[in-house]
Structures are given as structure tokens and as C-alpha cells.
């Protein structure tokens, strides 16, 4: 009897290990889906974990082994969990300033050498996100969609999920799900700026911006900004009078080249600590005085000018970002002629 019990335990352990292995094969994809749905790496991990819990429950194990398309099943679970999170978040933020200035969690990678785009070794899940990353500007637009529209657009347009599979998740007909995605697509195409694909060109524009900010050159700042540029500064729960990183920062939305240039001058004192990085695949900056990151700034450059800037300066969310890929932060960057180093103010 004891031998039978031991065999049963070994068999159950083997089944659990096999199920966990199958789940891990899909984890990167599931995290990508959840991140595009939620714009939050922490919430994306929570959604993926919930999918694993539902899969691994003892009563559902037999059913799990019979699932023909495990990836599709898990994607549906993650989508449902993400949709519930979005609806809850929308209720909390409805008609508030937070909904306008919320900057999604950035995905950060290092820039290597004179030809930006090189990547250090990162864990497979992070690399999967980086390889198929979407810009912060697009994620901001997705944030403004109704939850069902966002789900339909993300699943169909980004992951090619058929509307017949999307419909039950949003409790609509396939035709209605198609209309949701169509409305979202029009909103995205009419709102989300399309960045220049050349990272080196992005770097030239951002370096010119940073040099102008460091030198306090207002006219030079205006010259690299699109007339309708938007600055979105997310400082989280901090309160005070400023918009830049640091104590006293507040979340706000700033529009127009002159207004944004005026705010950019407040970045002058932090310019010597700014380190160039890739932010969601585009050129960006991390400011880390004393080696402690206080802001991540993502740029959208189009037609040789900055059309959008998304600044995350929320210390709580910054503390959760994995910046180990960047290595140690210097006390201040040395001037290498690119405009990203120190200089006299």
C-alpha cells in the first residue's frame, strides 16, 4: 500500500513538473500580451501568475492535460484577467488627471558603442519583451481606449487572435468584436505618432535637445521640438510645485514647443547624470544622480523633431524597474562629444 502511495506521489510530481514546463514555454508570450494590455510590468506578472494558478489547480489538472491548444487557452485566461484589471483601474481613474498623465512602465535596454541598439545579456522574458516592444507613445494611446476596445485591438492586431475567440472574452458577437478593434485602430492611427525607425537619427535629435537643456539655450530647445510636442510627466503620488524629477514634482501634461522648452530647462541640473538608453526600443535617457535612478525619459522622434516625451519620475514605480542590464551608474557621465556628458552650466 505504501509502495502504491509512493508511486502515486511520484506520478503526481512528474505531472506537475511537466505542466510547469509546458507553461514556461508560453510565459514570454503571455507576459507580452499582458504588458500591452496593462502597460504595467508588475500587473502583467500578476496576470501571468494568475493564469498559472488556474492551470495548476488540482481539480483542473486532468482538463489541462486535455487542452489541445494550451497557448490559446492561456492567452484567453491572461486576456480575461487583464480585462478585469483594466475595468477596475478605469473606475478608479475615470475623469481624473492621472488618466491623462499615466506613463506606462518602460522597458529599458542598454545602448552599446557608436551604433546604438546593441544589447547586453538579459533574462529570456525581458529579451522577449524587448525584441517585440512597442513604443511608450503607442502604449499611452492604448491606455486611453475603453477596456474592451484595447483587448480587441491588442489580441487581433498585435497577436492575430481571431475575432471568434475574442468575442466570448468581451461578451460580444464576433462582428461586434471586429467593430471594437476597428474603432481602436482608427484612434491609434489618428493619435499615436510614428517614430523615425533610425535609432542613430533619434540619438542626434535627443543629444541636441540634451545639450540645449544643459546649456540653458531656450531657442535651441524649441528648434528640436515639434510645434505640437507633448510632454507627459508622471510623478506618481508626489505633490509640490515642479514638473521635473525630484522632490516637489507633480504629474502634469504640457503641450506646445515653447511650454515644453520652458519645462525642459528644469532638467538642466540633472543633465550631467543623464545616461542614454533604449526605452521601449526608442532612444531615451535615465537620470541617476548618486547612482539612484530618479527618472526615465522616453522620446518619440518623427521627421527630425521630438513630437512626444514621456517622463516617469514616480519613485515607487522606478524602484520596481529592473535596471541591472545597465550596469553600475557613474556619479556623472563623462563628456564624449555626444552632448550626453557633463558640462559647465
Amino acid at each position: 500500500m505504501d509502495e502504491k502511495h509512493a508511486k502515486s506521489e511520484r506520478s503526481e510530481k512528474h505531472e506537475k513538473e511537466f505542466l510547469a514546463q509546458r507553461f514556461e514555454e508560453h510565459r514570454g508570450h503571455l507576459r507580452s500580451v499582458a504588458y500591452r494590455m496593462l502597460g504595467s510590468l508588475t500587473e502583467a506578472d500578476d496576470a501571468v501568475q494568475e493564469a498559472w494558478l488556474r492551470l495548476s489547480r488540482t481539480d483542473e489538472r486532468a482538463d489541462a492535460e486535455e487542452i489541445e491548444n494550451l497557448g490559446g487557452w492561456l492567452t484567453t485566461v491572461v486576456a480575461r484577467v487583464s480585462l478585469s484589471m483594466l475595468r477596475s483601474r478605469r473606475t478608479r481613474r475615470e475623469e481624473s488627471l492621472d488618466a491623462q498623465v499615466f506613463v506606462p512602465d518602460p522597458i529599458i535596454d542598454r545602448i552599446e558603442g557608436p551604433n546604438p541598439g546593441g544589447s547586453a545579456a538579459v533574462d529570456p522574458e525581458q529579451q522577449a519583451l524587448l525584441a517585440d516592444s512597442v513604443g511608450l507613445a503607442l502604449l499611452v494611446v492604448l491606455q486611453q481606449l475603453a477596456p474592451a476596445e484595447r483587448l480587441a485591438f491588442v489580441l487581433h492586431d498585435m497577436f492575430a487572435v481571431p475575432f471568434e475567440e475574442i468575442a466570448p472574452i468581451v461578451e460580444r458577437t464576433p462582428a461586434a468584436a471586429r467593430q471594437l478593434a476597428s474603432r481602436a485602430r482608427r484612434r491609434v492611427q489618428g493619435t499615436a505618432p510614428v517614430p523615425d525607425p533610425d535609432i542613430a537619427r533619434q540619438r542626434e535629435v535627443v543629444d541636441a535637445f540634451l545639450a540645449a537643456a544643459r546649456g540653458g539655450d531656450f531657442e535651441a530647445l524649441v528648434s528640436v521640438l515639434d510645434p505640437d510636442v507633448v510632454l507627459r510627466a508622471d510623478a506618481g503620488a508626489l505633490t509640490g510645485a515642479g514638473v521635473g524629477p525630484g522632490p516637489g514634482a507633480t504629474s502634469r501634461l504640457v503641450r506646445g514647443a515653447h511650454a515644453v522648452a520652458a519645462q525642459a530647462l528644469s532638467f538642466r541640473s540633472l543633465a550631467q547624470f543623464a545616461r542614454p538608453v533604449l526605452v521601449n526600443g526608442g532612444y531615451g535617457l535615465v537620470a541617476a544622480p548618486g547612482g539612484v535612478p530618479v527618472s526615465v525619459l522616453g522620446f518619440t522622434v518623427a521627421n527630425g523633431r521630438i513630437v512626444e516625451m514621456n517622463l516617469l519620475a514616480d519613485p515607487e514605480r522606478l524602484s520596481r524597474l529592473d535596471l541591472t542590464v545597465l550596469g553600475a551608474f557613474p556619479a556623472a557621465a563623462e563628456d564624449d562629444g555626444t552632448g550626453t556628458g557633463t558640462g559647465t552650466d
Side-chain angles (χ1 to χ4, degrees):
M1 194 70 179
D2 290 341
E3 184 179 348
K4 285 185 178 180
H5 181 68
K7 284 184 178 179
S8 175
E9 285 188 341
R10 286 197 297 270
S11 176
E12 183 176 341
K13 180 180 179 182
H14 176 74
E15 289 175 1
K16 287 182 177 179
E17 290 175 350
F18 177 68
L19 194 60
Q21 182 181 353
R22 292 185 68 197
F23 178 82
E24 290 302 320
E25 293 172 358
H26 298 282
R27 181 184 288 273
H29 165 77
L30 297 175
R31 194 168 186 237
S32 294
V33 171
Y35 174 65
R36 284 154 182 73
M37 284 286 297
L38 299 164
S40 164
L41 294 170
T42 302
E43 289 182 343
D45 287 336
D46 290 343
V48 173
Q49 181 64 18
E50 177 62 24
W52 163 245
L53 292 175
R54 295 189 186 187
L55 179 66
S56 61
R57 282 174 186 154
T58 303
D59 338 357
E60 297 180 358
R61 191 177 309 124
D63 294 334
E65 292 177 352
E66 296 174 3
I67 296 173
E68 293 183 6
N69 181 5
L70 181 60
W73 186 88
L74 289 169
T75 298
T76 297
V77 172
V78 165
R80 289 184 185 277
V81 173
S82 299
L83 182 62
S84 177
M85 288 181 174
L86 282 177
R87 286 171 171 165
S88 174
R89 179 197 297 172
R90 190 176 181 86
T91 300
R92 296 195 306 270
R93 287 186 184 151
E94 193 168 5
E95 302 303 326
S96 70
L97 179 64
D98 289 345
Q100 299 179 53
V101 299
F102 177 78
V103 173
D105 288 350
I107 300 173
I108 299 171
D109 196 16
R110 68 189 302 170
I111 293 178
E112 302 270 7
N115 184 21
S119 172
V122 295
D123 68 77
E125 290 178 36
Q126 185 80 348
Q127 192 61 55
L129 284 174
L130 289 167
D132 191 30
S133 61
V134 294
L136 284 181
L138 174 57
L139 287 174
V140 166
V141 175
L142 293 181
Q143 181 72 29
Q144 297 167 8
L145 299 175
E149 290 178 346
R150 183 168 184 169
L151 182 143
F153 177 81
V154 168
L155 290 187
H156 182 267
D157 285 42
M158 294 185 175
F159 295 98
V161 177
F163 288 116
E164 289 73 18
E165 296 178 20
I166 295 173
I169 303 175
V170 294
E171 300 179 334
R172 310 283 179 90
T173 65
R178 184 185 298 273
Q179 289 179 345
L180 288 173
S182 179
R183 283 202 300 268
R185 195 178 305 117
R186 288 195 298 270
R187 180 83 173 271
V188 168
Q189 292 173 346
T191 309
V194 180
D196 289 338
D198 187 348
I199 295 293
R201 177 57 181 148
Q202 293 182 30
R203 180 172 192 160
E204 291 177 8
V205 176
V206 175
D207 285 350
F209 164 86
L210 191 55
R214 188 179 67 243
D217 191 334
F218 183 83
E219 293 303 322
L221 280 169
V222 172
S223 70
V224 297
L225 298 173
D226 184 86
D228 299 318
V229 64
V230 173
L231 166 64
R232 188 174 289 102
D234 183 349
L238 293 181
T239 58
V243 67
T250 57
S251 298
R252 66 179 64 179
L253 192 66
V254 183
R255 298 182 184 273
H258 285 80
V260 171
Q263 293 293 343
L265 291 178
S266 66
F267 187 66
R268 183 179 180 182
S269 62
L270 284 174
Q272 61 178 320
F273 303 105
R275 177 171 178 175
V277 294
L278 291 178
V279 177
N280 286 58
Y283 198 77
L285 301 168
V286 171
V292 179
V294 296
S295 70
V296 176
L297 181 57
F299 295 84
T300 302
V301 176
N303 300 317
R305 289 190 175 184
I306 297 168
V307 298
E308 187 164 316
M309 299 164 60
N310 287 291
L311 172 71
L312 179 63
D314 180 349
E316 181 181 351
R317 290 173 62 202
L318 285 170
S319 69
R320 296 198 298 261
L321 292 181
D322 181 9
L323 301 181
T324 55
V325 66
L326 303 180
F329 283 87
E334 295 181 0
D335 193 347
D336 60 1
T338 64
T340 57
T342 58
T344 55
D345 292 339

